[in-house]
């Protein structure tokens, strides 16, 4: 197997210098030099269209069977859609959802135009971890649990439940770094 790497897929709206947004740059610094961590400014950062982001994940972030894809918010949705057709080492979802939440920007992204292939997502990843917070002001906890329920029908998902992390927009995320190391034994 090729050398392990991590690709961080941010949420939409995270424009500008992605390293300074939320915990993204912190995680990259925390994991390196032991794990290659791919973090790039995303094209189309506001709408996060699937037609733009999924090819970018393949070509620029080189997400493959050696990659742990860490997706936050709409980045989690992109990670799920990517794993429908691509083998990855693992998927870590942060504030994941499976509908457009009644939001016109989400509806325009293209991620919710077709049925989900939960079996392929589970089969194309050796592990899935999901971080969810009950007080998330953007993604209802019930929506996050729907993702868990769908995934568990076809495989295992490790649900990391929190009471007080809101939309996981803190500047550090030690639990995430710990999970990556534990799941990849580095």
């Amino acid at each position: 197997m090729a050398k392990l790497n991590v690709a961080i897929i941010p949420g939409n709206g995270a424009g500008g210098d992605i390293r300074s947004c939320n915990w993204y740059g912190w995680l990259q610094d925390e994991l390196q030099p032991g794990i290659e961590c791919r973090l790039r400014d995303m094209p189309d950062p506001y709408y996060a269209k699937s037609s733009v982001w999924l090819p970018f994940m393949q070509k620029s972030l080189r997400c493959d069977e050696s990659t742990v894809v860490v997706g936050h918010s709409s980045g989690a949705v992109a990670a799920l859609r990517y794993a429908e057709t691509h083998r990855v080492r693992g998927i870590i979802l942060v504030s994941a959802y499976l509908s457009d939440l009644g939001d016109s920007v989400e509806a325009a992204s293209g991620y919710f135009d077709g049925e989900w292939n939960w079996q392929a997502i589970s089969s194309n990843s050796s592990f899935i971890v999901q971080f969810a917070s009950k007080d998330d002001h953007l993604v209802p906890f019930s929506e996050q649990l729907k993702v868990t329920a769908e995934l568990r029908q076809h495989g295992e998902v490790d649900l990391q439940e929190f009471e007080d992390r809101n939309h996981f927009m803190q500047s550090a995320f030690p639990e995430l770094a710990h999970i990556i190391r534990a799941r990849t034994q580095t």
Side-chain angles (χ1 to χ4, degrees), residues 95-97 101 130-149 159-164 166 168:
S95 293
Y97 49 100
L101 304 171
Q130 181 180 353
F131 286 87
S133 187
K134 292 180 179 177
D135 67 341
D136 194 319
H137 73 287
L138 295 175
V139 180
F141 189 66
S142 60
E143 179 85 3
Q144 296 174 71
L145 292 180
K146 287 178 187 176
V147 173
T148 305
L159 177 62
Q160 301 287 311
E161 221 176 279
F162 292 87
E163 300 282 333
D164 60 352
N166 203 314
F168 295 92

Side-chain angles (χ1 to χ4, degrees), residues 33-106:
I35 298 173
E36 179 186 352
C37 192
R38 299 173 183 159
L39 175 62
R40 309 271 191 290
D41 291 338
M42 299 295 283
D44 187 34
Y46 182 70
Y47 288 100
K49 288 188 185 83
S50 61
S51 61
V52 175
W53 278 30
L54 299 181
F56 185 81
M57 289 171 66
Q58 182 178 21
K59 294 173 185 160
S60 295
L61 295 176
R62 301 181 322 277
C63 296
D64 61 19
E65 65 278 350
S66 300
T67 306
V68 175
V69 180
V70 178
H72 178 218
S73 193
S74 55
V77 177
L80 289 167
R81 285 298 190 189
Y82 189 82
E84 287 180 320
T85 56
H86 297 84
R87 179 100 179 112
V88 295
R89 171 94 177 254
I91 304 168
I92 300 179
L93 307 169
V94 182
S95 293
Y97 49 100
L98 51 71
S99 73
D100 65 23
L101 304 171
D103 182 273
S104 62
V105 171
E106 295 294 337

